[in-house]
Amino acid sequence: MSTRTTGPRPRLRLAIALLAVVLPVAACSGEGTDPGGGGSSGAPRDGGTLLVGAEADPSCLDAQQTGQVTAVDITRSVVDGLTYQDPKTGKIVPWLAKSFTTSADGSDFTFVLRDGATFSDGKPVDAAAVKTTFDNLVKLPANGAPSYLIGYQGTTVTDAHRLTVKFSTANAQFLQATSTVGLGILSPATFTASAAERCRGKFIGSGPYVLDHYTTNQEVVLKKRKDYAWPSSIAENKGAAHFDEVKFSFIPEGGARTGALTSGQVQIAKALLPTDEAQFKGNGFRVLSAPGPGLVPPLSLNHKGILADYKVRAALLKGIDRQELVDSVFSSSYKPATSVLSSVTPYYKDFSDKLRHDPDGAKALLDSAGWKPGKDGIRVKDGKPLALTWLIPAPMPPANEAVQQQLRKIGVDVKLKPVAPPVYVEQQQKGQFDLTAVGVTRADPDVLRNLFYSKGDNLWHLPAGKLDTYLEQEVSATDEKGRQSAVNSAVEWILDHADTVPLYEGAQVHGVSDKVRGFGLDASNRFDLHDAWLG
Amino acid sequence: MNTALYAVTRILRALFVVWAAFTLTFVALRLLPGDPVALMLSGRGGFAGLTPEQIAATRAELGFDRPLITQYGSALADAVRGDFGASLQSGQPVSRMITEAIPPTLQIGAIALVLALVIGTLTGVAANLTASPFLRQLLRSIPSFAVSMPSFWVGLILIQLLSFQWHLFPSLGNSGVQSTVLPAFTMAIPGSALVAQVLGKSLHTTLQEPYADTVRATGAGRARLLFGHGLRNAAIPAVTVLGLLVGYLIGGAVVVETVFSRPGMGRITQSAVSAQDLPVVQGVVVVAALAFAVVNLLIDLVYPVLDPRIRSTGRLVTS
């Protein structure tokens, strides 16, 4: 199954989630950058075509309009950002902006752009282009990347190299957002094209590659820009990209992707099936896996109905054996959840003692809540069985059945309800579920606010309370210490109230030929091809 | 019934099939639960921050707020002009998506059709030609075996052996003749089995008929009887199968194009159906129905040429 979230299409604030699902992420896996066999030993060699087997046609390539990982893996090489996020530390470092400062109240952000960067149409990357990009971004429906600009008051251009972005309130997540592809800077000419044309690739960035063509259900081909010389401040390669060309072929069938890699028809196969990972260790191939930052894939709990009772929610939290879940359904690239946030998210803290598997404790909680074991082992109260409906967007991933079996052991009957994506969105919005699963990939703890803020869309019907205060403190914090303590308080509150049931840490898992050197993922787990070359 | 009238009724029937396909799809899609506007906005990241007014405006812009019958009328009028609107997923015009998807599918479909006819005919004839009862039995049972093999499985076996193991053909893409071999062959297998079954059976029946004895009495051998007389008489059922074959190929494209990572009608169908992308599904169904209707129309028009009895009565005489 895919590494990120679950819901292909959550709604509302959730949407953000989605967006998240797709967008940024901070991954520093131990293996993150160029692990294993193909070290970047030796001088990089220029030339050649990198062949990538991708899992799906993204159908829209414009990162302003979609955050789907299939799209952003491609556009990351075409569109540069104001900033870059170091995959190892999660720190925000210079890119198109050589420096940036935040006002004391956390609501204004001033960027100073570097000299000499140009878009592929020859126009300079200047303050006016940044303003045009953001001004147009906020006109799009405020989901996905545009949601990072909620509260946007405008951009003031001081001179060609200096600009200030203003928000109505403190916005601690914005700087990280500028490192994502969705907030990448586009040439003003881009915005004369319609939204549909931009989806088809009619957007102009300043990246090391330009889009050559996009053929539906077949391929996207990128060609290198020979004059590129403005990578992020931490890139090894300071000049043009090494490959002449990068070709993403869309290979939807998992086995065909694996076979294409082993037979040399591609050099990178994206989204390996957990069952296929074992065949790519040390035989001329390696597995590149990076845990997804952000909110881990959870059981999201509707606080209306049966799950309004804290004891039942807490029983679910204790009833999940996360290690067994990972061992039975996934591979060593995946890990049990140790918090609401994944371990590679900035401001993460280990809360694994609150996530310990405790079936006896779970049963005791259900007993005291009045749910007594009935026949078939399913618990009953007032003649009604303890049955929970799990709303799932089709196709259903295998983890769901494993969770169902685990909860059955404590007497909870989980009814799986896979539906078509549009139905999923509608029923989730209407609250027609007890359980669903929405994770969000983003290398910033603000994902918590996207999902757990009761003044947001509040799909889970969380009661207003102290949690809202913590989340407000999180986004308005102006120093790291204050933000860390707000994030810790929020996560602790969420787990103590069993507001969600974290399951496992998702991951991006790709099979890579040892011929590919210097290849890694950025902080958001997106392809970073600028340093890569063929040995 | 004269020839012109025969042709006109057949053409009207073909048009009716296409119209009925359009209408049934329209109704079925509108009856499905789920909100197409939700799909469109959620595909791009959800409804975050959208006000109900903005959502309503999008719905109005797409025309989903009008009465169903109005929507049907304008959709039908647009469809007649070849306009099926824009995909809810990508915003691309459906007509352009379809025009781009037809050539690659037609390419493997045409090769598969020829392969199916050649392999099917050879098997069907061989089963009636051989004097060995064992061989005849074998040739008769192969088709029922072949027809029951799922294309998905056949495709994966072929790709595994011929592409991944032996590197004879590419497994993906749409570049040159080589990349069409495996998908066309995979698509052809169930079709060839169908042809072999029908042709084999009708040849067998033909050879039992009294005129066959007459021909044999003249001293003609099995081969001359078969090629000189039997094939022509057995052709009508086989031509009918051709229409079915086209249906098989359209359906097979979904599986084959997914396994072999090719662009085409099958792939856009698969993704449109799974995402409930209404305009695309509608367009694909109409085009498929049109293809099916045209082929069957041609077959109807060929019957009278093959069999003079149809020319006079306007219907197929069962013998």
Side-chain angles (χ1 to χ4, degrees), chain B residues 98-114:
Chain B
I98 290 178
T99 351
E100 282 170 6
I102 285 177
T105 301
L106 208 55
Q107 194 184 15
I108 49 168
I111 300 175
L113 187 65
V114 172

Side-chain angles (χ1 to χ4, degrees), chain A residues 129-278:
Chain A
V130 175
K131 179 178 166 55
T132 309
T133 299
F134 291 163
D135 286 355
N136 279 283
L137 192 52
V138 294
K139 289 183 201 157
L140 293 170
N143 49 40
S147 70
Y148 296 156
L149 290 179
I150 287 172
Y152 177 75
Q153 303 262 287
T155 297
T156 312
V157 173
T158 312
D159 61 41
H161 287 94
R162 183 181 290 263
L163 63 124
T164 302
V165 181
K166 289 182 188 301
F167 289 92
S168 51
T169 55
N171 197 345
Q173 58 87 40
F174 176 66
L175 213 50
Q176 189 274 339
T178 61
S179 76
T180 66
V181 193
L183 260 58
I185 307 306
L186 300 170
S187 171
T190 298
F191 302 101
T192 58
S194 71
E197 287 171 328
R198 279 183 270 152
C199 270
R200 300 303 301 164
K202 249 191 137 191
F203 51 84
I204 301 157
S206 62
Y209 289 92
V210 292
L211 181 73
D212 183 71
H213 67 266
Y214 170 16
T215 308
T216 304
N217 286 327
Q218 188 174 335
E219 64 188 14
V220 165
V221 173
L222 305 179
K223 293 257 200 264
K224 90 165 174 189
R225 258 190 89 178
K226 295 198 174 63
D227 60 342
Y228 186 79
W230 43 89
S232 81
S233 58
I234 58 168
E236 273 181 40
N237 173 13
K238 301 294 179 195
H242 298 303
F243 303 116
D244 292 333
E245 201 175 71
V246 180
K247 185 181 195 179
F248 292 85
S249 300
F250 307 129
I251 311 177
E253 215 285 311
R257 246 176 3 256
T258 307
L261 179 61
T262 51
S263 63
Q265 297 176 54
V266 299
Q267 287 119 15
I268 298 177
K270 288 178 60 182
L272 284 189
L273 303 176
T275 45
D276 285 346
E277 280 183 41

